[in-house]
Amino acid sequence: MVAVNSTMLPLGTAAPDFQLPDTDGKSVRLSDFNGQPLLVIFLCNHCPFVQHLAGELAAFAREYQKKGLSIVGISSNDIAAFPQDGPAKMKEEKAGRGYVFAYLFDDSQEVAKAYRAACTPDFYLFDAAHRLVYRGRFDETRPQQTPPQKPHGRDLRAVADALLAGRRPPAEQVPSIGCNIKWKPGSAPDYFPT
């Protein structure tokens, strides 16, 4: 496991386009969310950073989708090296965790590169015009902390509340940290630390 930080894509960036299959084989695209604030989360099944907050992330999604926030999760890991992150296991993970959002598979890894995603989890919150207003952490808790801390999503909740209330989230934001995205051999992007 290599722990890395978010790349902190510039605020105001337009959401890069995507069209990816979800765990039910349905194609989901960015334009499906036109006019809606959208949270894009890069995640996977095996990462301990994602496992640490998965239950609270599921609760966050249930709460905030009811408030009008659209959410998608995207897994971009190399499934030749990490088969537990492939579509069949993603479907099991979605059901087992109670994720209410579409969980998409980025086999080419091109969507992750377009977002400059670096780690799992990596959070990108876009306004209704699909301009980036937040990129950063879910909260300050981490797996294997001493003493153990329960995730709560305070950082992401604060910015989602601000956005949904018509306020701009603060520009000072803390990067997410997690396992590096597992790039296919020879395809790591230029921003991946070597």
Side-chain angles (χ1 to χ4, degrees):
M1 172 179 75
V2 177
V4 298
N5 287 106
S6 306
T7 62
M8 302 302 276
L9 193 66
L11 295 175
T13 297
D17 199 14
F18 61 81
Q19 180 175 349
L20 297 169
D22 71 8
T23 52
D24 297 318
K26 178 185 166 195
S27 184
V28 177
R29 60 187 70 201
L30 177 65
S31 61
D32 293 339
F33 306 100
N34 282 351
Q36 303 167 37
L38 176 65
L39 175 65
V40 177
I41 312 162
F42 288 86
L43 70 164
C44 69
N45 298 343
H46 86 273
C47 171
F49 289 87
V50 175
Q51 291 174 1
H52 167 70
L53 57 79
E56 185 60 26
L57 178 60
F60 171 91
R62 287 191 297 273
E63 179 182 347
Y64 280 82
Q65 281 187 323
K66 289 177 185 171
K67 294 179 178 182
L69 180 63
S70 295
I71 303 171
V72 297
I74 300 175
S75 177
S76 300
N77 279 354
D78 174 14
I79 61 169
F82 292 85
Q84 65 270 48
D85 291 336
K89 294 293 186 182
M90 289 167 60
K91 186 169 187 165
E92 291 176 15
E93 182 79 354
K94 179 179 177 179
R97 297 287 189 188
Y99 291 156
V100 293
F101 50 84
Y103 193 6
L104 313 179
F105 182 53
D106 175 25
D107 185 44
S108 72
Q109 302 186 315
E110 291 304 313
V111 175
K113 291 176 183 177
Y115 280 76
R116 296 183 63 84
C119 59
T120 55
D122 216 347
F123 297 92
Y124 299 82
L125 181 61
F126 297 90
D127 64 16
H130 291 169
R131 294 285 172 178
L132 187 67
V133 297
Y134 180 77
R135 69 288 188 256
R137 67 188 187 181
F138 188 67
D139 60 33
E140 79 284 358
T141 68
R142 301 287 177 263
Q144 301 170 343
Q145 282 176 311
T146 304
Q149 294 183 9
K150 184 180 183 320
H152 45 71
R154 186 175 297 126
D155 293 59
L156 189 57
R157 287 174 182 278
V159 295
D161 287 343
L163 177 62
L164 294 171
R167 302 188 313 270
R168 273 309 228 212
E172 188 173 326
Q173 300 171 3
V174 180
S176 186
I177 188 171
C179 300
N180 64 292
I181 289 179
K182 307 308 185 208
W183 303 105
K184 295 179 180 181
S187 70
D190 59 1
Y191 58 85
F192 182 68
T194 55

